[in-house]
Amino acid sequence: MLDENYINFFEKIKLFKEEQKKQKQRGLNDYNMVNIVRKENAEVGMHSNVIYSLIDPNGLHYQDDLFLKIFIKDVLEINDFGDILSVQAEESTNENRRVDFTIKSSNYYVGIEMKIDAADLENQISHYYEDLIEKALKDSNQKVKIYYLTKNGKDASFHSHNNKVTPVKISFEKHILQWIENCQKEVKNITNLNEAFENYKDIVKKITNKYKGRVMLLEDELLKNEKYYELAREISEAFQKAKYAKRIEKINSIIKLLEQKNLSFINYLPKDVMIDILSELSIRVIVNEQGYLIQIFDKSGYGQDVDNLKKEVILKKLIEIDSRFKSVYSKVYGEMRIDYQNIEKEEVNDLILKLIYLKVEI
């Protein structure tokens, strides 16, 4: 018989789901048209285009340099910027590399290098700095500043600046969000512009893990209560133990088949002992007289070429589990071959367990 605490907890969840449904029916939603067109972490297709369209004094927002001035104050934090000369995105350098943003004035030449998830390139920041120095000398010898814009304000890689310049660290989490909010204050009565900023603010919050959504969430409304959180944890652990028991049963059936070494050859294992990793991947184990072949491929089936980007991510995780995993042909994310003398039965069991709990985030 269920404890009264659990009955009460499930009743609370039922009421929560009913209220959540009412919110959705009233029109609350997390729809974002900009996010539908581009993924939130797309540097050029999303952030470069949006930011430039807003700081460009000649942009279709028709607000002149309003958003640019707020950007200079909130993001660049320069008080004596002077008269604006130009604002550019993807300005070419003398080596045909491209600076994400350049903002030039009578007093400053500013370059901004933006990184969402991409890695720094060799000499990238130091080259941008030297290129701007050269251009400023040809103009009126303005001061040159390089900014490094990331999600949370991390340091630039040494190989990017080589101690030739110390870029100013700025972040989406602090500077860009503050800029957006201050711009909204200026255009709160211009519906479409305010909504555009609101959409972009949601996207910035997503890449900085600050997005909560408009429809209430279970963790925000119910699981903040310590008593309910503990009940949820106990229920979750009970489900996990049940799932774990079923998976162990599958693993044991695989191990039994693998122990049949006296057979001259065991081909592909039957489908009922294939193991799914989460909802995307499957493990296949093949055994012959010499040893084991373990392959990881899509749950949809072996036979189609796998996505190269996804393969890069998954193979890296596989190698972290066991360095013997390798990239082979295009139909699997990775495979490993093991001779019998190089591995014990318990190690096979442990390896498969690790593969089952492999978490894949693309």
Side-chain angles (χ1 to χ4, degrees):
M1 186 172 178
L2 273 177
D3 184 284
E4 185 178 340
N5 287 327
Y6 291 108
I7 295 173
N8 182 45
F9 178 63
F10 288 127
E11 183 61 29
K12 288 283 186 183
I13 291 179
K14 180 183 176 183
L15 292 173
F16 164 82
K17 297 297 287 183
E18 288 173 355
E19 181 58 30
Q20 191 183 56
K21 184 178 180 180
K22 288 178 184 176
Q23 285 188 334
K24 291 177 180 178
Q25 289 172 340
R26 289 198 299 266
L28 285 177
N29 62 79
D30 296 307
Y31 184 79
N32 187 318
M33 185 175 288
V34 180
N35 212 170
I36 298 299
V37 178
R38 291 284 185 179
K39 291 184 178 180
E40 61 261 21
N41 58 355
E43 286 183 12
V44 177
M46 172 66 77
H47 297 278
S48 182
N49 287 349
V50 172
I51 292 174
Y52 176 68
S53 74
L54 293 167
I55 64 174
D56 178 12
N58 299 312
L60 295 177
H61 48 71
Y62 301 136
Q63 298 301 304
D64 197 35
D65 59 1
L66 173 63
F67 304 140
L68 175 61
K69 284 181 176 178
I70 300 172
F71 188 89
I72 292 166
K73 177 179 173 291
D74 290 347
V75 180
L76 304 185
E77 298 180 334
I78 299 176
N79 296 321
D80 60 335
F81 201 70
D83 298 326
I84 303 297
L85 300 178
S86 70
V87 179
Q88 285 185 259
E90 301 291 317
E91 180 179 349
S92 294
T93 69
N94 54 24
E95 292 182 6
N96 288 323
R97 300 172 85 168
R98 295 182 181 276
V99 189
D100 286 324
F101 305 104
T102 56
I103 305 174
K104 299 172 186 176
S105 73
S106 53
N107 294 335
Y108 287 90
Y109 267 27
V110 165
I112 302 172
E113 175 56 23
M114 177 178 62
K115 295 292 182 185
I116 306 296
D117 292 318
D120 294 334
L121 302 179
E122 193 75 26
N123 302 318
Q124 190 172 24
I125 290 175
S126 58
H127 168 64
Y128 293 164
Y129 178 71
E130 290 165 357
D131 183 76
L132 283 172
I133 286 280
E134 183 180 328
K135 290 173 180 174
L137 285 172
K138 291 178 181 177
D139 191 357
S140 301
N141 199 24
Q142 288 93 336
K143 297 176 186 176
V144 172
K145 294 189 76 170
I146 291 286
Y147 289 79
Y148 188 64
L149 173 58
T150 60
K151 288 187 280 191
N152 308 108
K154 69 175 183 177
D155 291 320
S157 304
F158 176 81
H159 67 261
S160 180
H161 60 74
N162 297 304
N163 276 347
K164 293 180 180 178
V165 60
T166 302
V168 181
K169 294 184 292 183
I170 52 177
S171 70
F172 282 92
E173 183 179 44
K174 176 187 174 183
H175 300 88
I176 298 298
L177 276 178
Q178 181 179 324
W179 168 65
I180 291 170
E181 288 169 0
N182 285 334
C183 287
Q184 281 187 286
K185 291 175 185 177
E186 297 293 330
V187 295
K188 58 186 177 183
N189 295 323
I190 306 176
T191 305
N192 69 322
L193 285 180
N194 187 49
E195 187 62 29
F197 276 111
E198 191 66 26
N199 283 337
Y200 187 52
K201 181 164 66 176
D202 285 345
I203 289 164
V204 172
K205 285 183 176 180
K206 285 180 181 179
I207 67 169
T208 55
N209 298 318
K210 287 191 169 187
Y211 184 72
K212 294 294 184 181
R214 294 175 177 81
V215 178
M216 66 182 191
L217 300 175
L218 189 65
E219 57 265 35
D220 291 335
E221 302 297 325
L222 198 58
L223 299 187
K224 282 183 179 179
N225 182 301
E226 189 174 339
K227 175 185 173 182
Y228 292 142
Y229 178 84
E230 187 60 27
L231 288 170
R233 185 186 63 77
E234 290 175 8
I235 293 166
S236 176
E237 285 182 357
F239 276 112
Q240 289 302 319
K241 285 177 182 177
K243 288 170 67 178
Y244 180 79
K246 289 181 180 178
R247 285 179 169 182
I248 289 296
E249 188 179 338
K250 279 192 173 185
I251 291 169
N252 287 336
S253 66
I254 286 179
I255 297 302
K256 285 178 184 177
L257 284 172
L258 296 178
E259 286 174 343
Q260 298 175 23
K261 299 177 186 176
N262 58 324
L263 297 179
S264 58
F265 182 80
I266 298 177
N267 202 345
Y268 302 128
L269 294 174
K271 266 190 174 182
D272 62 341
V273 293
M274 295 292 280
I275 301 176
D276 297 331
I277 307 173
L278 299 181
S279 61
E280 297 182 22
L281 309 179
S282 287
I283 305 170
R284 177 166 61 182
V285 184
I286 304 170
V287 58
N288 59 22
E289 293 175 340
Q290 285 74 44
Y292 310 110
L293 169 64
I294 299 175
Q295 296 178 319
I296 309 298
F297 57 97
D298 273 322
K299 183 182 176 182
S300 56
Y302 179 83
Q304 301 296 320
D305 287 347
V306 299
D307 177 80
N308 286 330
L309 179 60
K310 191 173 176 183
K311 180 173 182 175
E312 184 180 335
V313 175
I314 294 173
L315 181 60
K316 182 180 178 182
K317 290 181 178 290
L318 292 175
I319 292 171
E320 287 173 359
I321 291 173
D322 194 303
S323 59
R324 288 172 289 191
F325 272 106
K326 298 186 183 305
S327 172
V328 284
Y329 42 91
S330 61
K331 302 189 188 310
V332 297
Y333 293 110
E335 74 172 33
M336 63 181 289
R337 296 177 183 272
I338 322 168
D339 294 336
Y340 290 131
Q341 61 266 29
N342 293 333
I343 195 165
E344 298 294 329
K345 180 184 73 175
E346 291 76 14
E347 291 181 76
V348 176
N349 197 340
D350 183 59
L351 173 61
I352 293 175
L353 269 174
K354 288 179 181 176
L355 291 172
I356 287 173
Y357 290 105
L358 173 67
K359 291 184 178 179
V360 181
E361 297 177 358
I362 305 298

